[in-house]
Amino acid sequence: MNTDVEFHIRQNYPWTKLPANVKQSLGNSQREYEKQVLLYSIRNQLRFRNNLVRHVRKDERKYYEELLKYSRDHLMLYPYHLSDIMVKGLRITPFSYYIGIMEDIMNSEKSYDSLPNFTAADCLRLLGIGRNQYIDLMNQCRSSKKFFRRKSARDLLPAKPVEISVEPWWTAQTGYITEDDIRICSPAEKKAIDKMIDSGPQLTGSTEYNVVLSLYNRGYIYLDVPISDDSCISVPPLEGFVMNRVQGDYFETLLYKIFVSIDEQTNVAELANVLEIDLGLVKNAVSMYCRLGFAVKKGPVISAEQLHPSWKNAPSLNRLKSTVDPQKMLLSWEQGSPVMEGGSSATDTDTTSLEEDAGSVSSLSIPAAPTKRIAFLFDSTLTAFLMMGNLSPNLKSHAVTMFEVGKLSDETLDSFLAELEKVESTAEGEAQRYFDHALTLKNTILFLRYNKELTQDQGPDMPNIGFPLDMLRCESLLGLDQATCSRVLNKNYKLLVSMAPLSNEIRPISSCTPQHIGPAIPEVSSIWFKLYVYHVTGQGPPSLLLSKGSRLRKLPDTFQVYDRLLITSWGHDPGVVPSSNVLTMLNDALTHSAVLIQGHGMHGHGEIVHIPFPFNAEDLKGEFSCSNMCVHKALQKLKENVDLEHQCGYITMLNANNRHRRRASDSAECRGDTHLGGGLDNHGSTESFELVTDENNGEIKGKTDPFSSEDEWVPLELCFGMPLFSSELNRKVCQKIASHKLCSNESLQELLQSSRKLSLKVLSFVQSFQDGMQPSDLDSGVSNPLSQPPAESGVPLPALNLIFKDGQLKEWSGRAPPPLDITALQKDQRT
């Protein structure tokens, strides 16, 4: 549906008041507009009254029946905000609604995964049917077909809801009750119903607990979860969330947007203002979180006088006990290493009482006014590692929260750190990568969170306890439009710090304020930045960037001497592959993507060293050697063009001429983090160039060749942020952040200026190689390379084929058959 049309429907514009251009987009047809109004209203589950649909559809009951049918057919959440209509008018309770949905998908023999995430979670809450139960029901349904008396899906489904968690601050209202229903009620139930009829909605906590459950299970009452303008909520680690699929309907999209934006200090009205979303919609979403048990309402919710005695032993979602003493999570960064004060680990305090916790919090002297925080930005690769490794018993719920909510707030990091503390340091095979990431993540959190070393320039009126830390998933933030994302970040955060490297499959967050230690713009985290580094330093591995649609008959002569090539498909992570069988794979990849080909190793895999920055003064003294790579002439040129003093990260150096393969047991003596690069991408992963596999994908630690010269080493990549794939590299970067005071106000101001300058330089560089694009030559073998960026990446695709060799980046004029013979092709490639 046209966004302009949607806007005018949302604002209740009748046909007569529509602008001419909107009428024209509808073919000047009032009937078409009325169809769009009805469709929009049903899709967005709008109330009949006070909305434009009441002028289009006169029969209110029929409208709600259509709305309910659409919602059920599309497996949407029950419209709880219309409970008064659904339960009282149509006699459709949430239980009967989800029974209908479950019956439909069972009769259609669809898999459990067909249920969207939030719908599946609500079905589990009300029906007690999760993945395993659904599979069991389907098996029973199929086996009953073999017998004469077949059981229908409805016969196998539960007759009443399972016992649900009800909070005492929820309100109960009467549904559709007949005189026959009243006759079978107990005196206590009759009394409760009478009170609701006479006095209106009642707090559930003021009524006997078992009476509330009994009336709800029989459908005599429905429960509202009231949210006021000043309500604040917190999101603990998710329990009972079902990871199936995302549907993309209006309410699900809203739920995910608010998930990543909400925090414990911002009330609902402020949040609606920041997101520029209707307050009623935000309240509906927050109400849904609380109903599903994914969020907890903060502050006093009901007084002790109002609470019925029977509620004292009732299961409650609000019993969240902190098991970690915040005082013991403060850091001492003496002698460059993180040490828990008092020598305690996060797990030492599992038996801490609530009273001790309260005392510890007060001893922190945290100011009453909410302070801004540091945001650590990660991508879905990290959550996948935490989910896949079976690292510790309760870590998965945190990983699910990181992925689905897109955020772990500072308030939940204590329990997250306690789980990371249980992760072992060694594992077998591929699992070692997951363990390494988990342990390095723990050290990163401990370094950034409440670190006094990072905030020494706070004013005298502010106690220096460091900053709280939130963890944010980039993909979730990108679900917000750019202006909204900027408002959310500016409201809550002083500084953004990215993990390094971020996956090429996502677009990094661009932010001038708050300042960002990480890629300044998406182009800085793309293939273009690699070429920019080679361009300004005049050094780098031979590289060929081919636009989408290009075809190769043979590898250019430049790559003939290489045994291994580093291949990067546009928007994917790189992989090292043998050059012997790469051509077919390359041409296949080029049909759907631009591809960067780089020389990696002449005798097996090339040798890689990661050099952390900013550089210390002593790093820049002396002659080049394996233990002193910072004085490499390429890095000196890089320092002149890129601000490496107010950013942190690492530079990857490559020696393609490595003749000495070493065992994994050899120690690394170089100042950088060293390995003979197996099929590794920037994460230490081999998943990226998925079309090509390599027989040797493991990371092989080794010494650098003591006889290698400065000319044999070239820069391969520059990554901004905090690396998580190597604990040693991470430790060095953390030390440099503290010693160079990168989080000071002065340094951050310098970072702001240099990030802007770098962004302009890189954008100008990209544009210079996009200009002058000629119409595609029919004989060139190139089929209309795309110059416009795909919407999801925001980074321009290459319009020209580019090659970097002999210190120069220029357009590559190689042509592909059939029109050209091999001799002509080779002649072109030599020039």
Side-chain angles (χ1 to χ4, degrees), residues 283-512:
K283 286 182 178 179
N284 290 343
V286 172
S287 175
M288 181 62 74
Y289 295 146
C290 295
R291 188 185 293 274
L292 296 175
F294 299 155
V296 179
K297 194 174 181 182
K298 291 191 67 183
V301 289
I302 186 171
S303 64
E305 295 78 23
Q306 289 178 294
L307 193 65
H308 193 279
S310 62
W311 280 82
K312 289 180 180 175
N313 298 320
S316 171
L317 296 175
N318 275 335
R319 291 177 185 168
L320 298 174
K321 297 182 180 179
S322 172
T323 58
V324 181
D325 185 343
Q327 183 65 37
K328 294 183 180 180
M329 299 306 293
L330 295 183
L331 297 177
S332 171
W333 278 86
E334 295 171 3
Q335 301 174 352
S337 63
V339 180
M340 306 281 289
E341 289 191 359
S344 292
S345 70
T347 51
D348 290 336
T349 56
D350 286 344
T351 57
T352 306
S353 68
L354 291 177
E355 291 76 18
E356 290 171 335
D357 280 344
S360 301
V361 172
S362 63
S363 68
L364 286 174
S365 303
I366 296 176
T371 58
K372 289 197 174 185
R373 304 180 173 204
I374 295 174
F376 181 70
L377 306 179
F378 62 92
D379 62 29
S380 297
T381 310
L382 180 61
T383 59
F385 287 166
L386 296 179
M387 285 184 199
M388 289 161 59
N390 293 324
L391 305 174
S392 84
N394 298 316
L395 191 58
K396 188 172 182 180
S397 67
H398 291 280
V400 170
T401 307
M402 290 167 68
F403 184 82
E404 293 293 348
V405 176
K407 179 177 185 176
L408 271 188
S409 64
D410 183 78
E411 289 78 9
T412 60
L413 286 187
D414 287 342
S415 59
F416 183 51
L417 286 167
E419 290 303 320
L420 290 175
E421 195 75 31
K422 299 173 187 175
V423 176
E424 298 175 6
S425 57
T426 56
E428 295 181 359
E430 184 75 2
Q432 184 63 50
R433 281 173 48 223
Y434 310 146
F435 283 68
D436 289 345
H437 275 77
L439 294 170
T440 311
L441 176 63
K442 179 192 73 175
N443 293 335
T444 302
I445 294 172
L446 289 173
F447 170 73
L448 292 173
R449 186 178 184 231
Y450 293 117
N451 186 352
K452 301 173 186 176
E453 290 290 315
L454 302 182
T455 55
Q456 291 180 342
D457 59 347
Q458 290 292 306
D461 55 332
M462 290 288 289
N464 183 20
I465 60 167
F467 285 111
L469 178 73
D470 285 356
M471 297 179 63
L472 302 177
R473 188 171 75 103
C474 288
E475 293 93 329
S476 297
L477 285 173
L478 294 172
L480 305 172
D481 64 77
Q482 197 165 352
T484 301
C485 180
S486 179
R487 287 194 300 273
V488 169
L489 294 176
N490 275 291
K491 180 183 181 299
N492 296 320
Y493 301 106
K494 176 184 174 63
L495 174 66
L496 310 180
V497 182
S498 284
M499 66 175 272
L502 290 167
S503 169
N504 286 342
E505 298 184 15
I506 66 160
R507 179 168 57 87
I509 301 300
S510 300
S511 175
C512 289

